[in-house]
Amino acid sequence: MNALTHPTADAHAGGTVLESIGRTLTTATNGIKALADHLTSDQAFAGALVDAVELMGDGDGRVVVSGVGKSGHIGRKIAATLASTGTSAYFVHPTEASHGDLGMITAQDALVLLSWSGETAELANMLTYAKRFKVPIISISSNRESTLARNSEIALVLPKVPEACPHGLAPTTSAMLQLAVGDALAIALLERRGFSAEDFKAFHPGGKLGAQLRLVQELAHGTGQMPLLSVGRPMSEAVIEMSAKGFGVVGITDESGKLIGVITDGDLRRHMAGDLLAQPVQEVMSRNPRVVRSEVLASAAMEFLEEHQVTVLFLVDEAGAPVGILHIHDLLRAGVA
């Protein structure tokens, strides 16, 4: 058995790997804490963030994000997050910008440039273009005296934090701080404009997220499929209705059409003694049934079902009248879970 396969050697290697991972996570945690502390201790930074949100939110154009290397990758993600949360944004690579894509940027836009050092040479042409055509610049860097920060209308100067890389070279913690600031700006803009779940749905129609953002009324069964009886009807009809509609439940409505109770399989078992089928439905039903409104998100309905450990929900209108019925299987088929 050689050292590469010896259990002791494997355990030592595993321990070393975990120690490295632990150091990286600790460094990342400390970096985020430093950024949060920076927000409260540096008034210039806090004010610049507010100014950046106002500039991007009040502008008539789009937010154009740019950067190279790891800053470029982070910039792409920031642009994508902005776009998906209601702020018109896109990413332009600085090299492509120097070969014609500068024409995509107008004076109505806001330019967000990322460079940890603030001295990235590839951004020079974008800086020159922005100054010539009066395109406002928001910079995200760690050097207040850098070329980028000094030539920005709004300079977001992040705290200098140690990289997780033991050589201090690979952008790790610094990239995470850039991303955190980008996310913070996007969410602040989202909340500022009152971007709703319905708005979010318009930009995310596909996949599981799209399913979770659907409304329950889109997945529910309509009035013709609802198992319903009015008060005063005998339990014999309730059993027939329950079997015919196949939801394992019957809704009970009062004289005004309001849903006032439900009868489930469990209710049947609890009332098996005596002449069950001759009893009026209101004597067997469970009152105060679990209901939702039609405009509730499918994800919220799934959470409600799981919390209350039920499988069926009636949809009701403002007056409490049933307008649909939703089974947990409807949510599962739609990919909500």
Side-chain angles (χ1 to χ4, degrees):
M1 182 178 293
N2 58 44
L4 293 178
T5 59
H6 194 282
T8 303
D10 288 345
H12 177 71
T16 301
V17 168
L18 291 176
E19 289 172 4
S20 173
I21 291 172
R23 285 194 300 272
T24 298
L25 293 178
T26 299
T27 303
T29 301
N30 291 340
I32 289 294
K33 184 178 185 305
L35 181 60
D37 292 342
H38 191 52
L39 177 64
T40 58
S41 63
D42 190 319
Q43 292 185 353
F45 177 62
L49 284 169
V50 173
D51 292 342
V53 170
E54 291 180 350
L55 176 60
M56 290 188 284
D58 293 339
D60 296 326
R62 293 165 295 180
V63 176
V64 183
V65 186
S66 189
V68 295
K70 303 302 182 292
S71 292
H73 293 305
I74 296 299
R76 288 183 186 276
K77 198 278 181 183
I78 292 174
T81 300
L82 286 167
S84 71
T85 53
T87 300
S88 182
Y90 63 96
F91 179 85
V92 173
H93 194 282
T95 301
E96 298 299 330
S98 297
H99 292 274
D101 282 0
L102 283 172
M104 300 168 66
I105 306 170
T106 72
Q108 287 72 44
D109 298 331
L111 192 57
V112 178
L113 301 181
L114 287 81
S115 169
W116 188 250
S117 68
E119 300 294 346
T120 302
E122 291 87 346
L123 294 176
N125 286 338
M126 298 192 80
L127 277 174
T128 301
Y129 178 88
K131 289 301 180 183
R132 177 183 176 186
F133 293 99
K134 294 181 171 53
V135 181
I137 297 172
I138 301 168
S139 63
I140 302 177
S141 73
S142 66
N143 185 356
R144 193 178 302 277
E145 300 305 318
S146 66
T147 301
L148 179 58
R150 287 187 289 104
N151 285 279
S152 302
E153 277 67 32
I154 301 172
L156 303 177
V157 182
L158 308 184
K160 293 183 178 180
V161 294
E163 302 286 10
C165 169
H167 310 297
L169 299 175
T172 49
T173 316
S174 58
M176 182 183 64
L177 263 59
Q178 290 177 321
L179 180 58
V181 167
D183 285 343
L185 292 172
I187 299 305
L189 285 163
L190 176 154
E191 294 178 346
R192 184 177 188 263
R193 65 168 49 90
F195 193 78
S196 67
E198 272 297 291
D199 297 322
F200 205 88
K201 177 187 172 185
F203 296 133
H204 301 79
K208 183 174 181 179
L209 183 56
Q212 291 175 330
L213 291 170
R214 296 178 70 179
L215 303 181
V216 291
Q217 63 187 8
E218 301 175 46
L219 304 175
H221 303 268
T223 53
Q225 297 172 281
M226 283 192 296
L228 291 174
L229 284 176
S230 58
V231 292
R233 306 308 301 172
M235 278 299 300
S236 57
E237 294 183 14
V239 173
I240 294 173
E241 183 75 357
M242 185 183 297
S243 300
K245 297 299 174 60
F247 287 98
V249 65
V250 176
I252 308 302
T253 58
D254 63 12
E255 294 81 359
S256 67
K258 179 180 178 181
L259 186 73
I260 59 171
V262 294
I263 298 173
T264 65
D265 294 332
D267 294 316
L268 293 179
R269 290 192 296 270
R270 284 189 291 271
H271 292 81
M272 287 302 294
D275 191 2
L276 171 64
L277 298 182
Q279 294 187 52
V281 290
Q282 63 268 26
E283 297 299 323
V284 178
M285 72 180 186
S286 296
R287 298 182 180 273
N288 302 316
R290 310 289 187 190
V291 297
V292 295
R293 296 290 298 276
S294 299
E295 62 272 17
V296 167
L297 290 176
S299 57
M302 176 63 82
E303 182 180 352
F304 188 85
L305 287 168
E306 292 175 341
E307 178 185 353
H308 295 285
Q309 297 183 332
V310 294
T311 58
V312 178
L313 287 173
F314 277 96
L315 280 60
V316 298
D317 60 18
E318 293 181 357
V323 294
I325 187 169
L326 181 75
H327 196 282
I328 191 171
H329 290 164
D330 300 319
L331 296 170
L332 294 175
R333 279 193 294 268
V336 176

